[in-house]
Amino acid sequence: MSGKKLDIIKRELKEINVINIPDFIKEYSDDERNSVQAIVIKAQKQYDAYLKELQRTEIMKTFEKKYSDYEFICGIDEVGRGPLAGPVVAGAVILPKDCDILYINDSKQLSEKKREELYDIITERAVAYALGYNSPERIDEINILNATYEAMQKAIKSLDPQPDLLLNDAVKIPNVDIKQVPIIKGDAKSISIAAASIIAKVTRDRLMVDYDSIYPEYGFASNKGYGAKAHIDALVKYGPTPIHRKSFIGNFV
């Protein structure tokens, strides 16, 4: 087989929609040339991975299916409880009932590139999504737990339509008159909570990259405000910035 023909087959596999891979395999499975069979094997692995992801995603919808009588199910999650600097950010997402977005997962399990890709898909296809923020000053004023609850409350209030059920990552949010279902490790068990974790994580990471341009000594673009050694060394050397949480840095300044 000529190299040109082989390149055409490779390109065909690269451009084909994954759901059509079985047709591709059928077309070339009887071709006994090793180079073609190697492509067929690659195609089969891609399709097997797709089927595995479909299965994983369906499992992630377990709670959404359990509470399917509710019209607007909202996942809630937060990012930024632990850092020494920057805000805490809460995400709230109502996904469509027939949501078929693949690869949604706990944001910590995803690469930055995949989170960015999914952020665009989620925000485009969600029934509604919203974010809630609380500043370092507010965190110092009312403590991180209450600041997190408040950020979640802000996110929920910003949703249109309003949800009639909340799926929360582990916590029960006070002063909210909507039915809540706290789920331990919910960002790994509920597609709605995982989606919320992604939009919160991407939003907060982008903010910290912006802060890095203002305070370049602290490495916020890479550490996102967490207590990495380079961050702590800079904190000791230069002192705190306006975005540091005073209640978190007493051991360093």
Side-chain angles (χ1 to χ4, degrees), residues 162-187:
Q162 281 285 285
D164 48 9
L165 179 72
L166 302 177
L167 301 180
N168 307 341
D169 188 19
V171 302
K172 185 170 184 180
I173 309 164
N175 303 317
V176 172
D177 295 329
I178 302 169
K179 179 178 174 61
Q180 301 182 53
V181 179
I183 303 170
I184 303 299
K185 296 184 178 178
D187 49 6

Side-chain angles (χ1 to χ4, degrees), residues 219-239:
F220 291 144
S222 58
N223 61 54
K224 306 303 188 288
Y226 286 86
K229 183 178 185 303
H231 180 189
I232 294 173
D233 289 346
L235 187 56
V236 172
K237 182 176 180 179
Y238 300 108

Side-chain angles (χ1 to χ4, degrees), residues 55-66:
Q55 183 179 38
R56 188 198 67 83
T57 300
E58 285 304 307
I59 293 171
M60 289 280 285
K61 298 177 186 177
T62 298
F63 288 95
E64 285 76 6
K65 291 176 181 178
K66 179 178 179 180

Side-chain angles (χ1 to χ4, degrees), residues 69-123:
D69 288 345
Y70 291 86
E71 185 174 5
F72 298 119
I73 299 173
C74 176
I76 303 285
D77 201 7
E78 55 71 30
V79 173
R81 287 181 65 173
L84 307 178
V88 62
V89 178
V93 176
I94 302 174
L95 292 172
K97 289 280 189 179
D98 58 349
C99 179
D100 59 356
I101 305 172
L102 298 181
Y103 307 107
I104 292 179
N105 202 348
D106 171 9
S107 61
K108 297 184 292 296
Q109 301 300 316
L110 301 169
S111 67
E112 180 179 358
K113 180 181 179 182
K114 180 56 72 174
R115 287 195 300 267
E116 290 281 351
E117 291 174 358
L118 286 167
Y119 175 93
D120 291 340
I121 297 171
I122 292 166
T123 54

